[in-house]
Amino acid sequence: MSIAENIAAIKAKLPGNVRLVAVSKTKPVELLQEAYDSGQRIFGENKALEMRDKHTVLPTDIEWHFIGHLQSNKIKYIAPFVSLIHSVDSLELLKAIDKEAAKNNRVIPCLLQVYIANEDTKYGLDDAELFALLDTLQTQPLANIALYGLMGMATFTDDKAQVQKEFGHLAALFNKVKAGCNLPEFTELSMGMSGDYKEAISEGSTLIRIGSDIFGHR
Ligand SMILES: *Cc1c(COP(=O)(O)O)cnc(C)c1O
């Protein structure tokens, strides 16, 4: 199947409130252009320089979502144009993003990445760290950051019940934050990849991040 057919097949299965992030990391710009030509407008990348270089040559109405581990010294490459950073996992990083956003005279939308998997290889805040960070923000808000929601990655396993449980946990955290904090833009729940997006959607995902089901295996 072509990239256009892959995208169409995924989109046909999405409820109206769920958006597709086409994860194009490591893929050449020709393939992103092919996805763009079929109507795809949101692309996900996990390296700052790679995203900056692709942004430079591709159409300007693309929404660029950063989904990888972000180092503070690389924020400057994406701060002028990034639409959403999914992977903020510390207050220090959030402060550094705020600083670069201010230099660019803009507000950068961010998601907080929460560690929900049963593995120790993934980045993210644990539940206590999440609430501690939100507490700190209540007393010292960052003017150039907008908190749009949460992101998480489930355990890489065939055990669908386990995956479902982890996404359910993230959804519960999302609802708790939404109810308890005065964050008007807190509306996005980024969960679900090629192998587990159906479970993620059933637990309330609003952004699925799909790479291999669109572009083939990396
Ligand atoms: C690579 C990646 C994806 C996409 O994974 P696929 O299994 O190829 O769909 C989603 N989210 C993050 C954070 C990634 O790094």
Side-chain angles (χ1 to χ4, degrees):
M1 291 222 289
S2 69
I3 287 173
E5 286 169 328
N6 291 340
I7 290 174
I10 296 164
K11 281 194 170 159
K13 290 182 241 165
L14 300 188
N17 65 320
V18 181
R19 292 186 297 154
L20 171 63
V21 179
V23 175
S24 48
K25 64 192 187 200
T26 76
K27 298 297 172 181
V29 287
E30 291 73 24
L31 297 190
L32 280 74
Q33 183 69 49
E34 202 176 318
Y36 179 90
D37 291 341
S38 83
Q40 182 63 29
R41 290 295 179 273
I42 310 178
F43 290 88
E45 292 283 339
N46 70 346
K47 298 248 166 28
L49 283 167
E50 183 177 343
M51 186 160 112
R52 193 269 315 265
D53 292 346
K54 287 174 172 173
H55 164 262
T56 309
V57 296
L58 285 164
T60 54
D61 63 340
I62 288 176
E63 260 190 49
W64 292 98
H65 288 209
F66 193 84
I67 62 168
H69 186 65
L70 184 57
Q71 289 166 279
S72 294
N73 61 347
K74 303 273 173 68
I75 302 166
K76 59 178 179 286
Y77 300 121
I78 63 170
F81 67 89
V82 66
S83 289
L84 183 64
I85 299 175
H86 289 230
S87 43
V88 179
D89 60 2
S90 73
L91 184 61
E92 292 65 43
L93 181 59
L94 204 56
K95 283 179 178 167
I97 296 169
D98 181 62
K99 218 165 141 186
E100 293 298 327
K103 281 187 204 162
N104 286 277
N105 207 5
R106 62 179 298 231
V107 171
I108 296 185
C110 293
L111 306 180
L112 298 175
Q113 181 170 357
V114 182
Y115 176 83
I116 55 171
N118 190 12
E119 299 164 345
D120 38 44
T121 51
K122 301 248 165 78
Y123 296 103
L125 301 155
D126 67 26
D127 295 16
E129 289 166 341
L130 169 68
F131 288 105
L133 189 157
L134 289 165
D135 262 357
T136 309
L137 288 181
Q138 301 275 335
T139 52
Q140 37 169 287
L142 300 171
N144 295 82
I145 294 289
L147 276 191
Y148 271 46
L150 301 181
M151 183 272 232
M153 293 168 85
T155 304
F156 188 72
T157 171
D158 289 332
D159 183 351
K160 295 294 178 193
Q162 171 75 18
V163 168
Q164 190 96 32
K165 192 179 95 189
E166 290 168 2
F167 286 146
H169 178 67
L170 187 61
L173 286 175
F174 173 81
N175 289 327
K176 191 171 166 189
V177 174
K178 196 163 175 59
C181 299
N182 179 28
L183 297 167
E185 292 113 345
F186 203 85
T187 53
E188 302 290 352
L189 188 49
S190 170
M191 54 187 198
M193 314 184 3
S194 293
D196 58 20
Y197 71 91
K198 291 170 195 81
E199 289 75 22
I201 289 170
S202 81
E203 292 297 334
S205 173
T206 67
L207 284 169
I208 57 168
R209 310 178 309 272
I210 308 289
S212 27
D213 274 9
I214 295 176
F215 296 104
H217 287 282
R218 284 176 297 275

